[in-house]
Amino acid sequence: MFLRKYAMIGLLLVTLVYLSDAGTCNWEIDATEAVRNLTIPGLLQQNESCWWRVHAAEEGHHVVIEVMNPFNVTGCLTATLSIYDGWNSSDALLAEICANERTSIISSGRTLYLYLDKGYTVTRILIQVYAVPQCGGQLKAMHAPTNLTSPGYPQHYSRNFKCSWTITTEHEDETVILQMMDVDIEQSEGCENASITMYNSNSSDESLLLGRLCGREPYGRFLQSSKNTLKIEFITKVFGSGMYKGFKLQYHSVSETNCNFTNVIQGSMPSYIYSPGYPSTYYNDLDCVWKIVTISRDAVLEVVDSELEGSPPSCSKDSVTVYEGMDPAMNQVGKFCGSLTPNFTTYLLTTVKFKTNTAVVKKGFRMKYYAIKHYIPTTPAPDCGPQNLTAVRSDQHLVSPGYPVASPSNLDCQWTITSSSLDMMVRIEILDSELQNNWSCDYGDKVYVYDGPDNTATVIQIWCGHMKPVVQSSDTSLTLRFVTGVGHGKGFKLKYTETRESLPCGGQVSVTNSSGQYLYSPGYPANYRRNMKCVWVLRSQQDTSIKIHVQESSVGDGDNCADSYVSVSDGANDSSKRIGVFCGKKQPTFISSGHVMSITLNTGAGSVKKGFVIKYTSGSFHNPYDCGGRLLLNSSFYRLRPPGYYTNYYFDMKCVWVIESNHQNIRFSIDSTGLMLSPSCKEEYITINDGTLSQPSLIGRFCGYERLLQYYVTSGKVMVVTFQSREPNNVQLQSGFDISLYGGDFEICKLQEQKAWDSLSYITSPNFPFNYPRNAHCSWRIDTVDDSNDVVMLTVISFNITKTSSSCDSNYLEAFDGYDAGSPSLRRWCGTAHDNPVIYSTGRYLFIKFDTSNDTPNTGFNISIHRSWRSSESRNHLIIGLAVGVPAGVFLVVAVSYYAVRKAACFNSGTISHRTNLRPVSYKHS
């Protein structure tokens, strides 16, 4: 009789729990980085609306909603699945879904709200829910197109954030196709204010750039990866003006041998074509056709890298052929193979055809293409002078047409300089240059230098503006091509000679201009060469110092600086005190302590890049090693960062900031740290102390990579931040740290209302696991949600509170059996011992109080709470009932609830856990 009674209780419990969890309408959902599947099958003509509020469980995370499969909602004019960027339907509407399309939506904050209106008929919806740090994440490309939108689209994106998505195909023998559906991003020179950038890899490698866009782009532009991965970065800066929608893209997968698309381009921002498999090897029997359409403009195609089977000019094995027009029989512009890197210019319609045979396969090619204004000459072209020149040992000179007054517009001149002897090389030195362009030579007037007898040879130098490079051939000839736009710079003057000596790089640089001069890596913006070491020694007047800023950087592979990098030393050679290193895309600033600085470029045997542009000036500059000091906070916000934050902070630097508020205390958050990781953070670190230099209380010591976005509040008006940097053993770039500070009258803590659920939740002392603040008065009221049969169970997990007396009268944690501190006391703890780690309330409420004094703080406490039955007898009966009733209940549910399951919506990956106030964050504490 006893077993039958509790078996029926267990059966009833299982049935009720199952049926109540199956329908997930009107649910709060905590999203973690683990993917959960939300399915909504067969909701037929419901009379009530249905909503889900999805909240990122961890701070610093965004919510991702991916509608994974096509579905149907009837009556889309009045009923849709709506997704809002926030807490409820009063927030910005991100999407209204009622058609057969897959969609990825990312929140701009921590919450998304999904709303399904009443009166709908849904055949089936499968939604994946997960959280990602900030925005971005890993996406899977399928054959069916999937939409990807920027946070806030189609309303507007926010400022000062960065999103990164990596799209990978389902199978390794596929590539990713990306199509621009709608692009509305602030237009700025070089896309400085905001941009969307696509890479032909899973990293931000400029040598594998697919394209960078801003402004408005025509519908339908395509980009294709050469392998099974494509990366997208969406970056907006804090500066800029206006509100812009952002973007909507579609991505899907195709076979690796499917290499045919048509693109419409209208601007000067370049895109790239890669041969399938690049930079590994292409495939046999390829017949790829890419078509480029320009609207009343010329298309410029520049071959950046090429390694194909075959030899020019026949290129009878593997080859790339460029045609003007969509019919390849119309007009062949050129063909290349081997290691040739020629340039082509076409008008309106361009076809690029890549054909391979069944024999040898090689690396392939990378081709840049962009649009420029079409020029129709109305007068005869100006005289470029003799085109074939001979170099001898004595200096000879070449000047551009119109020099030194003005270069004609829309000029295209070419000269080939050949040595007089077969064992000599050609060297040119630019004596004067004024070409209308920017420092990166992206547009306008420029000169191409080819390492050979014509413009099909490899480009080894491009110069523009006031650049004055020295260039030398590897064999007996050089070719120069001078093109102008509509500018009127005076042109250039150069000298040329023949020589047997190799061309040195580096040298002595006189820094005399306080407004700035420029230093370029060899060949910039063409690629530098492998296995080089170039040292430049910069000298200014005795009573000045030197400041350099890296305007552009494309050095080495990524940010690990293992193969190629640039080092900066505070002295006359690279063995002087090294103050910093950069590589990748970093753009740091460095200042010398005296009037001498040296810059060293080291290139390895790996991939070659375009190098760097450094602006250098002389003057009286603040010594960055003179850092730290006293900082006074008012009620406004202040951001504390080390000198050289993000781009490159200085090595062997120690900074101490004493931060004082003119109000009651200071609230701060550690937004990020990017420091060298070491055991116990002994090498490179920041420490934060609550109090003065003479009476510090350690809040924490940090190193490595952290994002601790929770707020801390100091006990009083003063805190101390110490930063110690080191030169790492391996040259690895770090970003430093970023701390947000506020001065004000902040409560250290206050009364918090919290619910006790069946699942565990946690309560911690302020700043745990670091030291709690002095003079804190905190309290929590725990409620079992109005169930007379439930009580609160409290378990002490970790405990360390400064003990000042045996009665625990000044620093303590106390639990009360009731609604407030006037209820009977269950237990008071202090010190480190907790001989009674588990207590129960007798009713639905438990009140917790935490008080600290002005004594030296400690790490505090971590306790767990959850809802429990009133007595142990009831719990024992429940265990027996569940043991007998669960199997019977499961059998009954499976047998009779098929129809209910068809109507229900449930999480496939598990139950929904309730939010707690302890987030899983990694800390380092000494």
Side-chain angles (χ1 to χ4, degrees):
M1 189 68 175
F2 172 83
L3 290 178
R4 184 184 306 155
K5 172 184 177 182
Y6 287 105
M8 291 302 296
I9 293 175
L11 172 60
L12 180 60
L13 284 171
V14 170
T15 304
L16 291 175
V17 169
Y18 178 82
L19 293 177
S20 63
D21 281 353
T24 59
C25 271
N26 307 339
W27 272 91
E28 301 272 357
I29 302 169
D30 272 347
T32 67
E33 293 189 23
V35 176
R36 281 179 165 173
N37 292 326
L38 170 62
T39 58
I40 310 174
L43 299 177
L44 303 176
Q45 299 296 340
Q46 300 293 314
N47 294 320
E48 295 183 359
S49 60
C50 203
W51 60 262
W52 299 265
R53 184 177 292 116
V54 187
H55 186 73
E58 293 188 49
E59 294 185 12
H61 282 62
H62 297 281
V63 175
V64 179
I65 297 290
E66 292 195 19
V67 180
M68 299 301 297
N69 65 306
F71 65 94
N72 237 346
V73 180
T74 62
C76 271
L77 294 177
T78 59
T80 59
L81 174 63
S82 302
I83 302 177
Y84 296 90
D85 190 22
W87 193 252
N88 53 40
S89 58
S90 65
D91 292 296
L93 178 65
L94 298 181
E96 287 184 324
I97 304 171
C98 65
N100 291 332
E101 63 175 340
R102 295 175 48 160
T103 300
S104 297
I105 300 291
I106 300 177
S107 64
S108 61
R110 289 181 62 185
T111 307
L112 283 179
Y113 181 76
L114 284 69
Y115 181 80
L116 196 59
D117 203 356
K118 61 184 178 180
Y120 49 76
T121 300
V122 180
T123 57
R124 178 179 173 85
I125 307 176
L126 170 61
I127 299 175
Q128 286 191 340
V129 178
Y130 59 96
V132 294
Q134 293 193 343
C135 61
Q138 303 289 325
L139 304 176
K140 185 72 69 176
M142 314 292 284
H143 293 302
T146 299
N147 292 331
L148 173 64
T149 60
S150 54
Y153 180 91
Q155 305 300 323
H156 62 86
Y157 55 78
S158 302
R159 297 287 177 186
N160 196 32
F161 73 96
K162 177 179 179 180
C163 300
S164 177
W165 297 270
T166 299
I167 305 174
T168 306
T169 62
E170 187 176 17
H171 306 290
E172 289 189 3
D173 60 349
E174 295 176 329
T175 62
V176 181
I177 292 283
L178 195 65
Q179 183 179 9
M180 312 296 149
M181 308 302 291
D182 184 17
V183 176
D184 181 25
I185 299 171
E186 181 180 0
Q187 179 73 56
S188 58
E189 183 177 343
C191 296
E192 176 67 22
N193 291 356
S195 64
I196 174 174
T197 306
M198 286 67 63
Y199 296 94
N200 185 40
S201 69
N202 58 2
S203 65
S204 304
D205 187 346
E206 285 291 319
S207 68
L208 293 174
L209 180 68
L210 273 170
R212 181 173 287 115
L213 304 175
C214 60
R216 292 194 61 84
E217 281 293 320
Y219 170 85
R221 176 187 282 219
F222 289 89
L223 294 172
Q224 182 175 9
S225 66
S226 62
K227 291 189 174 183
N228 70 328
T229 305
L230 184 149
K231 182 177 182 180
I232 302 172
E233 281 188 353
F234 181 47
I235 299 175
T236 68
K237 301 294 182 64
V238 69
F239 46 82
S241 61
M243 296 175 62
Y244 303 86
K245 291 192 297 182
F247 64 82
K248 179 181 180 181
L249 312 177
Q250 272 193 355
Y251 60 90
H252 67 280
S253 62
V254 297
S255 168
E256 61 191 1
T257 58
N258 185 342
C259 44
N260 303 274
F261 61 74
T262 299
N263 252 347
V264 178
I265 60 171
Q266 61 183 12
S268 60
M269 292 301 293
S271 295
Y272 291 81
I273 295 174
Y274 292 82
S275 57
Y278 183 95
S280 297
T281 57
Y282 51 81
Y283 312 107
N284 290 318
D285 291 322
L286 285 176
D287 191 0
C288 302
V289 178
W290 297 279
K291 297 180 180 181
I292 301 169
V293 179
T294 55
I295 303 172
S296 299
R297 298 169 73 87
D298 288 340
V300 178
L301 291 80
E302 299 178 3
V303 182
V304 180
D305 187 23
S306 175
E307 187 179 312
L308 306 175
E309 185 193 14
S311 302
S314 64
C315 295
S316 59
K317 296 181 179 179
D318 301 337
S319 64
V320 178
T321 308
V322 178
Y323 303 89
E324 189 169 73
M326 289 301 186
D327 182 357
M330 289 179 61
N331 179 26
Q332 179 175 318
V333 178
K335 177 187 287 189
F336 68 92
C337 61
S339 58
L340 295 180
T341 55
N343 297 340
F344 307 97
T345 302
T346 60
Y347 178 57
L348 288 182
L349 307 174
T350 307
T351 299
V352 179
K353 186 172 183 178
F354 179 39
K355 181 73 174 176
T356 67
N357 59 18
T358 59
V360 178
V361 292
K362 294 194 173 185
K363 179 181 179 181
F365 71 90
R366 177 183 181 222
M367 177 185 289
K368 177 168 68 173
Y369 63 96
Y370 54 94
I372 60 173
K373 183 178 179 181
H374 179 61
Y375 170 67
I376 302 176
T378 57
T379 59
D383 184 11
C384 296
Q387 293 186 322
N388 294 297
L389 308 173
T390 301
V392 295
R393 294 196 176 189
S394 60
D395 293 348
Q396 299 181 81
H397 294 86
L398 172 66
V399 297
S400 59
Y403 178 88
V405 180
S407 300
S409 298
N410 302 298
L411 187 65
D412 193 341
C413 291
Q414 185 168 301
W415 302 273
T416 297
I417 307 173
T418 306
S419 63
S420 62
S421 176
L422 294 177
D423 62 347
M424 303 285 271
M425 297 171 285
V426 177
R427 180 181 297 180
I428 63 172
E429 181 179 348
I430 315 306
L431 304 176
D432 188 20
S433 177
E434 185 184 292
L435 308 179
Q436 294 296 312
N437 208 311
N438 62 350
W439 49 261
S440 60
C441 302
D442 288 335
Y443 52 84
D445 304 351
K446 66 183 79 173
V447 180
Y448 298 89
V449 183
Y450 302 88
D451 191 18
D454 55 40
N455 62 10
T456 64
T458 300
V459 177
I460 58 173
Q461 178 75 58
I462 302 171
W463 94 78
C464 62
H466 295 277
M467 297 168 61
K468 298 178 182 178
V470 179
V471 189
Q472 185 167 305
S473 65
S474 62
D475 205 348
T476 59
S477 59
L478 277 179
T479 298
L480 287 76
R481 183 184 175 209
F482 177 40
V483 295
T484 65
V486 295
H488 298 286
K490 69 180 182 179
F492 67 84
K493 178 181 179 180
L494 63 81
K495 70 177 181 180
Y496 59 94
T497 59
E498 62 178 0
T499 181
R500 291 190 179 92
E501 298 178 357
S502 59
L503 179 66
C505 63
Q508 301 291 320
V509 180
S510 178
V511 186
T512 59
N513 192 337
S514 60
S515 61
Q517 299 163 273
Y518 292 92
L519 177 67
Y520 301 87
S521 57
Y524 180 91
N527 293 342
Y528 54 72
R529 297 180 181 181
R530 294 179 174 88
N531 301 312
M532 299 174 62
K533 182 175 181 180
C534 307
V535 181
W536 294 268
V537 179
L538 284 63
R539 297 180 186 271
S540 62
Q541 294 181 357
Q542 285 283 346
D543 57 347
T544 63
S545 56
I546 301 169
K547 178 180 180 180
I548 67 170
H549 175 66
V550 182
Q551 298 280 102
E552 182 174 354
S553 174
S554 179
V555 179
D557 296 315
D559 292 338
N560 61 8
C561 301
D563 185 64
S564 298
Y565 60 91
V566 180
S567 64
V568 181
S569 300
D570 194 20
N573 52 61
D574 62 345
S575 62
S576 304
K577 174 181 172 61
R578 187 157 67 169
I579 58 177
V581 170
F582 69 90
C583 63
K585 297 191 295 182
K586 296 293 187 181
Q587 296 176 277
T589 298
F590 298 103
I591 300 173
S592 66
S593 61
H595 72 289
V596 183
M597 174 187 284
S598 59
I599 301 172
T600 304
L601 169 65
N602 293 275
T603 69
S607 59
V608 294
K609 305 292 178 64
K610 63 193 298 185
F612 63 78
V613 179
I614 292 176
K615 183 179 181 180
Y616 57 90
T617 57
S618 63
S620 298
F621 304 110
H622 175 74
N623 185 351
Y625 282 90
D626 184 16
C627 61
R630 182 173 176 268
L631 176 63
L632 181 64
L633 286 178
N634 52 32
S635 58
S636 61
F637 164 76
Y638 184 82
R639 177 157 275 161
L640 182 64
R641 294 167 170 172
Y645 167 75
Y646 187 72
T647 54
N648 217 158
Y649 55 79
Y650 286 63
F651 296 152
D652 297 317
M653 171 188 293
K654 185 171 184 178
C655 311
V656 179
W657 291 272
V658 177
I659 303 164
E660 184 175 353
S661 171
N662 56 7
H663 292 271
Q664 177 178 311
N665 49 17
I666 302 168
R667 187 178 73 178
F668 69 94
S669 65
I670 304 172
D671 299 335
S672 68
T673 62
L675 305 172
M676 181 174 64
L677 184 63
S678 62
S680 301
C681 299
K682 291 182 177 179
E683 295 296 323
E684 186 170 77
Y685 56 84
I686 57 170
T687 60
I688 300 180
N689 282 278
D690 183 7
T692 63
L693 285 170
S694 59
Q695 290 185 315
S697 172
L698 181 67
I699 293 178
R701 180 186 290 246
F702 308 87
C703 64
Y705 289 86
E706 304 279 4
R707 283 188 62 83
L708 310 178
L709 295 177
Q710 66 191 79
Y711 282 109
Y712 301 87
V713 177
T714 60
S715 304
K717 297 183 176 183
V718 184
M719 64 181 288
V720 179
V721 178
T722 303
F723 171 50
Q724 175 68 64
S725 72
R726 300 292 189 200
E727 180 175 351
N729 295 327
N730 59 330
V731 184
Q732 174 73 38
L733 295 185
Q734 316 290 354
S735 59
F737 62 86
D738 188 4
I739 300 176
S740 295
L741 299 161
Y742 304 84
D745 299 325
F746 302 108
E747 288 184 301
I748 297 175
C749 51
K750 57 185 178 180
L751 175 62
Q752 299 181 51
E753 304 279 354
Q754 187 162 333
K755 304 299 183 184
W757 306 99
D758 294 334
S759 58
L760 291 176
S761 57
Y762 299 87
I763 297 175
T764 64
S765 54
N767 302 345
F768 182 86
F770 306 121
N771 290 348
Y772 52 77
R774 295 178 172 92
N775 302 312
H777 307 286
C778 313
S779 56
W780 296 264
R781 181 180 294 117
I782 318 302
D783 184 5
T784 61
V785 198
D786 196 22
D787 190 331
S788 59
N789 292 319
D790 288 340
V791 297
V792 182
M793 176 181 175
L794 181 152
T795 303
V796 178
I797 300 172
S798 174
F799 197 88
N800 187 6
I801 297 177
T802 302
K803 186 174 183 178
T804 57
S805 66
S806 59
S807 60
C808 300
D809 56 357
S810 59
N811 297 289
Y812 61 86
L813 175 71
E814 187 168 8
F816 297 87
D817 189 19
Y819 186 81
D820 53 29
S823 304
S825 175
L826 292 173
R827 178 72 177 176
R828 177 179 286 196
W829 296 273
C830 64
T832 56
H834 42 85
D835 53 355
N836 189 14
V838 179
I839 62 171
Y840 294 89
S841 66
T842 59
R844 61 179 282 191
Y845 291 109
L846 181 71
F847 191 82
I848 302 171
K849 181 180 178 182
F850 176 52
D851 265 16
T852 69
S853 66
N854 202 39
D855 298 309
T856 301
N858 261 308
T859 56
F861 65 85
N862 179 17
I863 61 177
S864 70
I865 59 169
H866 76 281
R867 184 167 57 191
S868 180
W869 288 80
R870 178 176 294 276
S871 68
S872 59
E873 179 183 2
S874 297
R875 290 194 296 274
N876 293 336
H877 289 175
L878 174 64
I879 293 171
I880 297 173
L882 288 176
V884 177
V886 166
V890 170
F891 174 80
L892 180 60
V893 168
V894 172
V896 302
S897 62
Y898 175 77
Y899 176 74
V901 172
R902 292 286 296 170
K903 293 181 63 177
C906 61
F907 270 102
N908 292 340
S909 60
T911 59
I912 303 172
S913 62
H914 295 279
R915 288 189 293 274
T916 68
N917 60 344
L918 178 66
R919 305 299 179 190
V921 179
S922 299
Y923 301 94
K924 295 174 179 63
H925 176 68
S926 60

